[in-house]
Amino acid sequence: MTDWTPNTAVMNESVRAVRDYLNAELAKYDAWEDPEDFFRMLFDNEHSFYQTKNHGAGRKIIKRF
C-alpha cells in the first residue's frame, strides 16, 4: 500500500510531464482553428489559446487537462 501513497516528487514530475506535453502540442498549431475540438476545449477563447501558446501552459490549462 505504501507504493500508492501520494509523493510530492511524483506529483511534481507528473505536472511537469503534462505541461511539457501540452506545450509540445501547442507548438504544432499556428492558428486557433487548427487544433481538434478536444484540444480547443482547454481554452476559454481564442485569446486564451494564443496567450498560452506564447507563454506556455499554466495552472488553469493543466487543471483542465
Side-chain angles (χ1 to χ4, degrees):
M1 194 63 175
T2 58
D3 291 340
W4 296 102
T5 57
N7 179 318
T8 305
V10 171
M11 287 190 281
N12 286 338
E13 183 56 34
S14 296
V15 170
R16 275 189 218 100
V18 168
R19 181 200 61 202
D20 292 348
Y21 168 77
L22 291 172
N23 288 336
E25 286 298 305
L26 276 169
K28 294 178 183 179
Y29 307 115
D30 293 322
W32 165 249
E33 296 81 15
D34 294 344
E36 295 181 27
D37 289 340
F38 165 76
F39 197 72
R40 265 199 293 173
M41 288 177 17
L42 296 174
F43 308 97
D44 292 330
N45 52 44
E46 186 174 352
H47 175 74
S48 175
F49 169 80
Y50 286 112
Q51 187 167 353
T52 303
K53 184 165 175 55
N54 292 331
H55 299 288
R59 178 179 60 211
K60 184 177 179 181
I61 299 301
I62 292 169
K63 284 174 62 176
R64 282 187 178 180
F65 180 77

